[in-house]
């Protein structure tokens, strides 16, 4: 049966209907978008930005009032200083008194009306006028009075008047507030509840004025430095009381600034007096001042509610107490006991930590004690550095003779501090404090580490400090190393002790360089000691390489002691890499095994360095190192060391050939090519995916390329002939086994070698040809290429036409 319509016709009809549906869909979507746009509410235009005022009304008010008060004050000063002489005594008194009373009385009325800012401005003017009144009184009635004394009395009187004025205004307004609350008829106020707040300026101003009376009085009385310092500290105590007791925040801030400023000034002055005191009496007087400063700080720390401020203030009080008692001890004891005396005072502070004082105070005392101990350790640190690094200077004078004492061996040309006799005591005391005082679980491990380090430092500096004999100093260092290694082998291991043991052993090794017997004995003992500690858990990664390093140094020292030349000492040093290569497989700990192998490799480099001046011995040492590396490469996990072994063998061969005067490149390249080709063949047998370029190209290139370069510069025939024969053999082997790399490399070298040999004849033939022959040959070549290209294009066009005619 024939389908009507046909499939092609039905497909055409479906396509036409789909196109019509797509067109209709586009029209409907456009109409829908227009309707949505019409139904949306209109967006109003953005309102113009209103310009905000750049200053607020209260700000403008305050600025105006401030400027007004300043201008009135300047006018009053000008009137007092310039226009004073135009009025009589009565007129002057009446004018200045009336203005002062008006300026001081107006704020009370203004506060009742709620004009607080204006009242503050007039109050400030009134306070300034009282200062002018005091000056006027001095200038008119008391011109012959001492200026400093009058200023002290005037500042005290002004402080009292200003304080009374501030308190009186506050009392009046508290009464007004009570009356207003009882009647229920509030006073008219422009500032809401602002009338209920007293003036803020008089009381802080009174505190500022109170800073001067005692200090000026002491200066006026020509008192000594101790009295002036006492005046500073008493004023600071007064400020501290105000800062802790006054309810107004502005008064507390001003008083706190005064307490810190004058208290710090007085404390510094008292500390200077203590430091410069020539005897116990002067030191005791300075200590009394320092204790006054400390009591002020501790009282403030006790009373302040802020934990951080209380802790810091208590810390300062503790440090000042230490300086006070330490200054007295300084004048009673020899000079070298100054630091231990202060340290003892700092340690005594820890007794307060376990009392019932508030926690911030106890924490501050603990911090003060810790600061004193840290400073004491810092004072002893240069002695530790000299003792630890001083023996390095013996490298320049090896086996010059054993010195008389350990201090001579340590210092050399370095000066020994004159007051360092108490350095071991300081270090030991701080270590004991860390062990005894720090009991908190979170700080106990760090305290033990610090105590161990300080104990080690004590043992390190003790022989030089006591000027023990040289041998006794070596023994002390050795016993310290043994003790640290024994302590490091605890559960869990102690890395700090192990590191300190290594540092002590290094210092001991350098210290022993002064004497030949001491060098041999110490190096042998250290090698055996660290070898015995290496099997211990956790000690191997450091102890094992240390043992091998000391064994290397022992081999060098033993060879030098026997009078051997450096290149012969290298053979003794090679014993260390052999021992490392033999012992590494028996070590189960991976870090220890790696460290042993790395140290053995380092000893091999030392042996090589010893033979650089003797090529024949250098070749021997390189070959022996290659044997050691090859033995290591036998292990499955160390197979990559085989490359190093090959390189060592090759370098040994090269050095030997150079020593024999061989100049042919093949003698140097063939020892590389043969093992490289063997390795490549082994890789292709194990992995068939390895290409011939990876397996054979490096080995073939090492010999073929240098030989080709040498052949091009060789005027004789044996080298090119042998190179051509070798290249032909490589090419045939590549063709036989279908290997790309030998085929390409061998063929290229063969062609270039043949070209080198035929070059003279080619030149003769070219000279014999006519000059038109090369262009003609080039033209023929181009024509042939063009014809071939055209033929290819025509064939391609025919194929396309045939495919186009296919149904």
């Amino acid at each position: 049966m024939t389908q009507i319509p046909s499939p092609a016709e039905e497909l055409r009809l479906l396509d036409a209907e789909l196109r019509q549906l797509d067109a209709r869909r586009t029209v409907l979507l456009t109409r829908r978008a227009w309707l949505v746009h019409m139904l949306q509410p209109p967006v109003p235009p953005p309102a113009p930005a209103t310009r905000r005022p750049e200053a607020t009304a209260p700000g403008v008010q305050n600025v105006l009032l401030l400027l007004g008060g300043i201008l009135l004050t300047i006018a009053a000063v000008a009137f007092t200083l310039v226009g004073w002489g135009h009025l009589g005594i009565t007129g002057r008194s009446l004018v200045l008194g009336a203005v002062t009373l008006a300026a001081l009385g107006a704020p009370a009325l203004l506060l009742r009306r709620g004009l607080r800012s204006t009242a503050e401005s007039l109050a400030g003017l009134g306070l300034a006028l009282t200062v002018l009144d005091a000056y006027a009184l001095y200038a008119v009635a008391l011109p012959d009075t001492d200026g400093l004394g009058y200023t002290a009395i005037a500042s005290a009187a002004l402080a009292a008047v200003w304080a009374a004025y501030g308190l009186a205004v506050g009392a009046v307004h508290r009464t007004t507030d009570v009356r207003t609350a009882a009647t229920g008829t509030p006073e008219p106020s422009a500032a809401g509840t602002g009338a209920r707040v007293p003036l803020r300026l008089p009381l802080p101003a009174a505190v500022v004025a109170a800073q001067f009376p005692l200090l000026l009085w002491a200066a006026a009385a020509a008192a000594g430095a101790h009295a002036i310092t006492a005046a500073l500290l008493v004023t600071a105590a007064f400020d501290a009381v105000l800062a802790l007791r006054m309810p107004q925040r502005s008064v507390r801030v001003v008083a706190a600034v005064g307490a810190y400023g004058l208290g710090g000034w007085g404390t510094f002055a008292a500390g200077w007096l203590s430091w410069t005191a020539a005897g116990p009496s002067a030191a005791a007087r300075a200590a009394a001042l320092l204790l006054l400063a400390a009591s002020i700080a501790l009282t403030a720390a006790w009373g302040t509610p802020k934990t951080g401020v209380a802790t810091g203030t208590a810390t300062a009080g503790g440090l000042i107490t230490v300086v006070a008692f330490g200054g007295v001890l300084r004048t009673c004891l020899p000079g070298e006991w100054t630091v231990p005396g202060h340290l003892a005072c700092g340690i005594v502070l820890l007794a307060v930590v376990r009392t019932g004082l508030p926690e911030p105070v106890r924490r501050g005392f603990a911090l003060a004690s810790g600061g004193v101990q840290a400073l004491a350790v810092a004072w002893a640190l240069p002695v530790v550095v000299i003792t630890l690094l001083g023996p390095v200077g013996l490298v320049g004078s090896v086996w010059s003779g054993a010195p008389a004492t350990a201090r001579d061996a340590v210092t050399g040309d370095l000066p020994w501090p004159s007051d360092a006799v108490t350095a071991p005591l300081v270090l030991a005391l701080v270590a004991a404090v860390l062990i005894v005082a720090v009991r908190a679980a979170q700080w106990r491990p760090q305290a033990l580490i610090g105590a161990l380090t300080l104990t080690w430092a004590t043992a390190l500096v003790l022989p030089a400090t006591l000027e023990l004999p040289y041998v006794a100093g070596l023994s002390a260092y050795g016993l310290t190393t043994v003790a640290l290694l024994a302590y490091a082998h605890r559960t869990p291991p102690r890395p700090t002790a192990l590191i300190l043991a290594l540092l002590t052993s290094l210092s001991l090794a350098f210290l022993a360089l002064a004497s030949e017997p001491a060098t041999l004995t110490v190096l042998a003992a250290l090698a055996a000691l660290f070898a015995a500690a290496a099997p211990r858990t956790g000690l191997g990664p450091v102890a094992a390489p240390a043992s091998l390093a000391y064994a290397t140094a022992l081999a060098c020292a033993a060879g030098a002691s026997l009078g051997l030349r450096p290149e012969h000492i290298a053979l003794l040093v090679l014993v260390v890499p052999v021992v490392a290569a033999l012992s590494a497989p028996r070590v189960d700990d991976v870090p220890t095994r790696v460290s042993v192998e790395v140290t053995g490799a380092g000893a091999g480099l030392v042996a090589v360095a010893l033979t650089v001046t003797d090529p024949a011995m250098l070749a021997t040492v390189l070959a022996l190192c290659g044997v050691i590396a090859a033995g290591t490469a036998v292990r499955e996990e160390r197979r990559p060391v085989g490359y190093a072994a090959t390189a060592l063998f090759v370098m040994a061969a090269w050095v030997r050939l150079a020593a024999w005067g061989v100049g042919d490149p093949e003698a140097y390249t063939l020892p590389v090519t043969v093992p490289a080709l063997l390795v490549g063949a082994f890789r292709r047998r194990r992995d068939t995916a390895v290409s011939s370029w990876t397996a054979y190209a490096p080995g073939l290139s090492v010999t073929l390329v240098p030989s080709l370069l040498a052949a091009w510069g060789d005027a004789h025939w044996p080298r090119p002939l042998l190179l051509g024969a070798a290249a032909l053999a490589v090419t045939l082997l590549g063709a036989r086994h279908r290997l790309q790399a030998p085929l390409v490399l061998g063929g290229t070298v063969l062609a270039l070698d043949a070209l080198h040999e035929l070059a003279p004849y080619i030149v003769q033939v070219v000279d014999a040809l006519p000059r038109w022959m090369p262009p003609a040959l080039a033209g023929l070549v181009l024509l042939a290429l063009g014809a071939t290209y055209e033929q290819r294009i025509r064939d391609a066009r025919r194929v396309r036409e045939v495919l186009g005619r296919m149904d």
Side-chain angles (χ1 to χ4, degrees):
M1 296 178 64
T2 303
Q3 183 177 354
I4 299 174
S6 63
E9 182 66 17
E10 184 179 2
L11 179 61
R12 187 183 63 78
L13 293 175
L14 290 176
D15 290 340
E17 290 181 3
L18 289 174
R19 284 193 296 270
Q20 292 177 0
L21 289 176
D22 290 339
R24 183 61 179 168
R25 176 180 174 81
T26 302
V27 173
L28 293 176
L29 289 175
T30 304
R31 181 65 178 176
R32 180 182 181 279
W34 181 80
L35 292 174
V36 170
H37 177 71
M38 292 299 295
L39 291 176
Q40 289 179 350
V43 180
T50 59
R51 179 174 297 177
R52 293 185 177 182
E54 297 181 356
T56 62
V60 174
Q61 165 194 298
N62 294 332
V63 170
L64 293 177
L65 293 174
L66 179 62
L67 289 176
I70 292 174
L71 291 176
L72 288 175
T73 303
I74 294 173
V77 172
F79 170 76
T80 304
L81 299 178
V82 179
W84 189 256
H86 300 291
L87 299 175
I89 184 64
T90 304
R92 285 177 281 180
S93 301
L94 289 176
V95 171
L96 193 56
V99 174
T100 303
L101 291 176
L104 293 177
L109 300 176
L110 293 173
L111 286 174
R112 295 182 62 183
R113 304 295 299 176
L115 302 177
R116 187 173 183 278
S117 298
T118 306
E120 291 283 359
S121 298
L122 289 178
L125 176 61
L127 298 180
L129 289 175
T130 56
V131 176
L132 294 177
D133 290 337
Y135 170 75
L137 180 62
Y138 173 76
V140 174
L142 303 170
D144 298 330
T145 306
D146 179 57
L148 285 177
Y150 178 80
T151 305
I153 297 173
S155 60
L158 290 175
V161 170
W162 292 349
Y165 175 69
L167 295 175
V169 173
V172 170
H173 283 278
R174 281 195 295 272
T175 305
T176 303
D177 292 339
V178 171
R179 185 183 303 111
T180 301
T183 59
T185 58
E187 297 290 335
S189 174
T193 59
R196 295 188 178 90
V197 182
L199 294 175
R200 290 178 295 182
L201 185 59
L203 291 180
V207 174
V208 173
Q211 308 301 307
F212 303 102
L214 287 179
L215 181 60
L216 294 176
W217 173 80
H226 290 80
I228 294 177
T229 304
L232 291 171
L233 293 176
V234 171
T235 306
F238 171 73
D239 291 334
V241 173
L242 293 180
L244 295 174
R245 298 300 182 185
M246 291 300 293
Q248 290 85 356
R249 184 176 183 275
S250 57
V251 177
R252 294 199 308 271
V253 170
V254 174
V257 172
Y260 281 112
L262 296 181
W265 184 7
T267 302
F268 177 79
W272 179 256
L273 291 174
S274 176
W275 181 257
T276 57
S281 176
R285 285 184 292 165
L289 295 174
L290 289 170
L291 290 178
L292 175 60
S295 63
I296 297 171
L298 295 176
T299 303
W302 195 314
T304 182
K306 297 181 179 180
T307 304
V309 176
T311 302
T313 309
T315 303
L319 292 174
I320 295 171
T321 304
V322 171
V323 174
F325 289 102
V328 176
L329 292 177
R330 181 187 62 83
T331 59
C332 300
L333 298 174
E336 58 268 15
W337 289 92
T338 300
V339 174
H342 285 78
L343 177 61
C345 296
I347 294 173
V348 172
L349 287 180
L350 294 176
V352 183
V353 177
R354 302 187 182 278
T355 60
L357 293 175
E359 175 62 24
V361 177
R362 290 188 282 114
R363 188 183 302 116
F365 271 84
L367 291 176
S369 178
V372 173
Q373 296 177 56
L375 290 175
V377 171
W379 169 80
L381 189 60
V383 181
V384 179
V385 174
I386 292 175
T387 306
L388 185 63
L389 301 181
V392 180
L394 293 173
V395 174
S397 56
V398 177
W399 296 352
S400 59
T405 64
R407 181 182 297 184
D408 297 334
V410 166
T411 55
D413 297 332
L414 297 176
W416 183 258
S418 59
D419 56 349
V421 66
T422 57
L425 177 61
V426 169
L427 297 171
L429 284 176
V430 178
V433 170
L434 289 175
I435 295 174
V436 175
V438 181
R439 294 293 183 180
Q442 66 271 24
W443 297 107
R444 185 66 176 173
Q446 291 82 353
L448 292 178
I449 292 176
L452 175 62
T453 304
L454 292 174
T455 305
W456 164 77
T458 304
L460 194 70
V461 302
L462 194 59
T465 303
L466 299 179
E467 294 189 88
L468 296 179
Y470 175 69
V471 177
L474 294 179
S475 302
Y477 277 42
L479 292 176
T480 303
T481 305
V482 172
L484 288 170
L485 287 177
Y487 181 75
H489 180 55
R490 298 184 64 182
T491 303
R494 303 294 194 269
T496 304
L498 182 59
I499 295 173
L500 294 178
L502 184 61
L503 290 176
T504 309
S505 66
L506 288 173
S507 183
L508 174 60
F510 283 111
L511 200 63
L513 294 177
S515 172
E516 179 179 350
T519 301
L520 298 175
T521 304
V522 167
L523 291 177
L526 290 177
L529 179 62
F530 280 96
R536 309 290 184 179
T537 304
L539 306 184
V542 176
S547 175
L548 293 176
Y550 286 126
T552 303
L554 177 62
C556 295
S561 178
L562 295 174
L564 301 179
R565 296 174 58 83
E567 56 270 18
H568 298 144
I569 295 175
L571 299 177
L572 293 177
V573 174
L574 284 179
V575 176
V576 177
V578 172
V579 173
L582 293 177
S583 59
R586 296 175 174 82
V587 178
D588 297 330
D589 185 42
V590 176
T592 303
R593 186 189 313 145
V594 173
S595 63
V596 166
E597 292 172 344
V598 170
T599 308
L605 292 177
V606 172
V608 172
L610 291 172
T611 58
V612 291
T613 58
D614 189 345
M617 188 60 69
L618 176 60
T620 303
V621 170
L622 288 172
L624 293 176
C625 291
V627 171
I628 298 171
T632 304
V634 174
R635 293 156 48 195
E636 184 67 26
E637 71 277 9
R638 291 292 183 264
R639 291 299 169 78
V641 182
Y643 296 106
T646 303
L648 289 170
F649 284 130
V650 170
M651 287 190 292
W654 287 354
V655 172
R656 177 61 67 181
L657 291 173
W660 288 340
V662 176
D664 295 328
E666 290 81 7
Y668 297 90
T669 58
L670 285 177
V672 180
T673 295
V674 173
L677 293 177
L678 293 177
V679 171
F682 180 73
R683 287 193 61 186
R684 279 185 58 85
R685 176 170 296 183
R686 297 190 61 180
D687 186 3
T688 56
V690 176
S691 66
S692 62
W693 288 102
T694 303
Y696 302 121
L700 293 175
S701 301
V702 168
T703 294
L704 292 178
V705 173
S707 298
L708 179 63
L709 295 176
W712 274 72
D714 194 351
H716 304 284
W717 61 270
R719 186 189 299 277
L721 179 61
L722 294 176
L723 178 61
L728 178 61
V730 170
T731 304
L732 294 177
L733 287 174
R736 171 68 179 80
H737 297 283
R738 297 181 181 180
L739 299 176
Q740 191 178 58
L743 184 62
V744 173
L745 290 176
T748 302
V749 173
L750 180 61
L752 293 175
D753 185 64
L755 179 63
H756 172 263
E757 293 302 312
L758 297 177
Y761 303 102
I762 294 175
V763 171
Q764 294 177 3
V765 171
V766 171
D767 290 338
L769 292 175
R771 293 186 179 273
W772 53 266
M773 185 64 68
L777 293 176
L780 291 175
V781 171
L782 292 176
L783 287 176
L785 291 175
T788 303
Y789 185 69
E790 183 181 9
Q791 181 67 30
R792 298 280 177 85
I793 294 176
R794 186 175 58 185
D795 294 342
R797 187 181 297 114
R798 289 178 179 177
V799 171
R800 186 176 58 187
E801 292 175 354
V802 170
L803 293 176
R805 290 195 298 267
M806 290 183 179
D807 190 1

